[in-house]
Amino acid sequence: MSRPGETSRGHANGFTLVEAVITIVITGILAAITAVFIRAPITAYQDVTRRAELTDIADTALRRIAREIRAALPNSTRVNGTCTGAGTCYLEFVPIKSAGRYRENGPGNTLDFTAAADAFDVIGPGVDIAAGDAIVIYNLGVLGSDVYEGTDRFGATTTGIALTTAGFSGGPFPFSSPARRFHVVGKPVTYACNAGAGQLQKYSNYAFNSTQPQPPAGTPALLATNVSSCSFSYQPLNQLNALVTLALGVSKSSETVSLVHQVHVNNAP
């Protein structure tokens, strides 16, 4: 018996095994209930993140292609191949590097359309011409006036920045431009899409070919992966305008995002 004012030391404080087991079971039940409620938001967040990633891949690729097509030489865009199954489709164009107007009449250095080689005054701001560039005048994309055949494309003989005189050799040019316009171009560019391989690739810096190469020479740069579908189409609207339709599907984790982009092409040479 304890005396008044003294505490009993006969019992020790603590948990029994049964109490510990019950605590663990209850904690597990509460965790399972909590997981049921937070699983859906987490899954939704992962889905949204994946869709945003796929959309960004497709949108970036299509916008890049569209931007380059708008800056392409008039009547130089062409498509070929098949995008279905394991096939590859190709979109080719000639990029414009610089442009200006030539002097055809009046005082100064005029362009001679009967000469195999000539130099002419650039009207307006000067143009930039690098080694290997070519000068094109009035490309119609038809026999006798086709940049790929070389009938209206001749090598530049002057190079530099902000040139006020431009020269060429290998002519003469077949047609004069109603707007007195000339273009300085580089080598062709091709976008190749193979849904079977899941890749969108870009070829550049290869030689001109009268028939569209499939694929072009050289090593391509990879533009997009996880490609599940794609298509390129070119539709002339009239003599001065055309419509290019680009479609690209990107898939990941059993989910697909498909985008379609239409590009207005100004073919006024």
Side-chain angles (χ1 to χ4, degrees), residues 44-58:
Y45 172 77
Q46 292 174 338
D47 292 342
V48 170
T49 302
R50 183 168 54 253
R51 289 172 194 147
E53 178 186 359
L54 297 178
T55 302
D56 182 65
I57 293 173

Side-chain angles (χ1 to χ4, degrees), residues 71-241:
L73 180 71
N75 300 303
S76 70
T77 303
R78 56 185 184 178
V79 299
N80 211 333
T82 175
C83 296
T84 59
T88 304
C89 52
Y90 301 90
L91 169 68
E92 186 178 30
F93 56 89
V94 178
I96 295 175
K97 302 182 69 175
S98 189
R101 299 182 186 274
Y102 58 83
R103 186 185 297 277
E104 187 173 19
N105 300 300
N109 197 358
T110 60
L111 174 58
D112 186 354
F113 278 87
T114 65
D118 194 16
F120 54 88
D121 290 342
V122 177
I123 306 300
V127 295
D128 299 342
I129 303 178
D133 289 347
I135 295 177
V136 178
I137 294 179
Y138 207 59
N139 181 59
L140 298 176
V142 297
L143 186 65
S145 181
D146 184 5
V147 66
Y148 293 106
E149 293 180 346
T151 49
D152 58 15
R153 167 182 52 85
F154 304 113
T157 56
T158 52
T159 59
I161 299 175
L163 297 173
T164 56
T165 300
F168 69 94
S169 63
F173 287 101
F175 301 110
S176 172
S177 167
R180 311 296 186 263
R181 183 184 296 115
F182 72 94
H183 297 97
V184 179
V185 302
K187 293 184 177 180
V189 170
T190 289
Y191 282 96
C193 186
N194 187 326
Q199 294 182 340
L200 174 62
Q201 298 175 309
K202 178 181 179 179
Y203 292 83
S204 58
N205 198 33
Y206 59 90
F208 284 86
N209 294 274
S210 57
T211 58
Q212 188 172 357
Q214 303 180 46
T219 302
L222 185 62
L223 184 63
T225 57
N226 298 317
V227 175
S228 56
S229 64
C230 51
S231 67
F232 302 138
S233 69
Y234 179 84
Q235 179 184 1
L237 302 178
N238 49 49
Q239 293 181 339
L240 300 179
N241 297 278

